[in-house]
Amino acid sequence: QDALLPAVEEGIVILIGATTENPYFEVNSPLLSRSRIFRLNPLGEEDIINILKKALTDKERGLGGFNVEISPDELKIIARLSNGDARTALNALELAVLTTPPDGEGVIRINEEIIAESLQKKILNYDKDGDNHYDIVSAFIKSMRGSDPDAALFWLARMLEAGEDPKIIARRIIVHAAED
């Protein structure tokens, strides 16, 4: 980074970078003071679902030339598991469509199993707004209350892998600690 500094100062080099690390900790102060930092936030599930729908209908730059059948729930699974990254969601959808042979009617039917293979992630039965959500959170709390660290870690990992907001989990831990 020190070697880049004179070239950046003189305008010989325009430095453009992307990182998953915090640049305020990873880039040295002199270079950081001559930089403009843009934070890119993850997209919401609805945004990603809209992007996927456009990709399915765009015949020129998307998958509109294929006869694809995918339910809204399955689009939501792709959006949730892509963690706010449209590129990940589009790559998974494209892989699912291109690797799934059409059935006898010429329709490419995308299901949860195909999505899991395309994303290389196991799809957990977890509905953030339904009973299953509360059952899993309850099991997590009961594991902590029962001093079973292995079970608590299992339920914690299951919630995180399914896409639960870490802030919600942290609140549940604080509530448990306050009750304890």
Side-chain angles (χ1 to χ4, degrees):
Q1 292 181 29
D2 289 334
L4 287 173
L5 188 58
V8 170
E9 284 179 332
E10 293 176 30
I12 297 169
V13 172
I14 297 174
L15 183 62
I16 300 174
T19 180
T20 56
E21 301 298 324
N22 185 338
Y24 293 102
F25 296 120
E26 301 299 326
V27 178
N28 69 24
S29 295
L31 194 55
L32 192 60
S33 70
R34 290 155 180 85
S35 301
R36 180 172 287 169
I37 307 294
F38 294 96
R39 180 178 178 165
L40 304 177
N41 295 314
L43 296 172
E45 278 185 22
E46 285 303 315
D47 296 323
I48 291 181
I49 290 170
N50 288 333
I51 290 168
L52 294 173
K53 286 178 181 178
K54 287 179 184 175
L56 287 167
T57 58
D58 188 333
K59 291 185 180 188
E60 187 178 319
R61 296 179 297 148
L63 301 166
F66 296 91
N67 188 3
V68 179
E69 182 181 292
I70 184 168
S71 74
D73 288 340
E74 288 154 349
L75 287 174
K76 189 172 184 176
I77 289 170
I78 294 173
R80 180 172 42 88
L81 294 177
S82 68
N83 294 321
D85 186 344
R87 181 184 54 200
T88 298
L90 288 168
N91 286 341
L93 180 64
E94 181 181 35
L95 184 61
V97 169
L98 296 179
T99 60
T100 304
D103 62 12
E105 300 170 2
V107 178
I108 299 171
R109 299 183 197 280
I110 307 297
N111 58 33
E112 286 186 16
E113 182 180 326
I114 294 167
I115 293 168
E117 287 177 20
S118 298
L119 282 165
Q120 292 294 298
K121 289 186 180 181
K122 184 176 180 186
I123 297 173
L124 301 173
N125 185 15
Y126 188 83
D127 178 11
K128 287 191 208 178
D129 301 321
D131 291 337
N132 197 346
H133 162 77
Y134 295 105
D135 292 343
I136 291 174
V137 171
S138 176
F140 174 61
I141 296 297
K142 288 176 183 173
S143 303
M144 288 192 301
R145 193 173 293 134
S147 298
D148 187 347
D150 292 334
L153 285 173
F154 169 79
W155 294 114
L156 173 66
R158 181 149 180 203
M159 287 187 291
L160 290 171
E161 185 66 24
E164 182 62 84
D165 183 354
K167 291 177 190 171
I168 291 172
I169 296 170
R171 278 190 219 117
R172 297 305 307 163
I173 294 170
I174 292 168
V175 166
H176 168 69
E179 291 171 351
D180 200 25

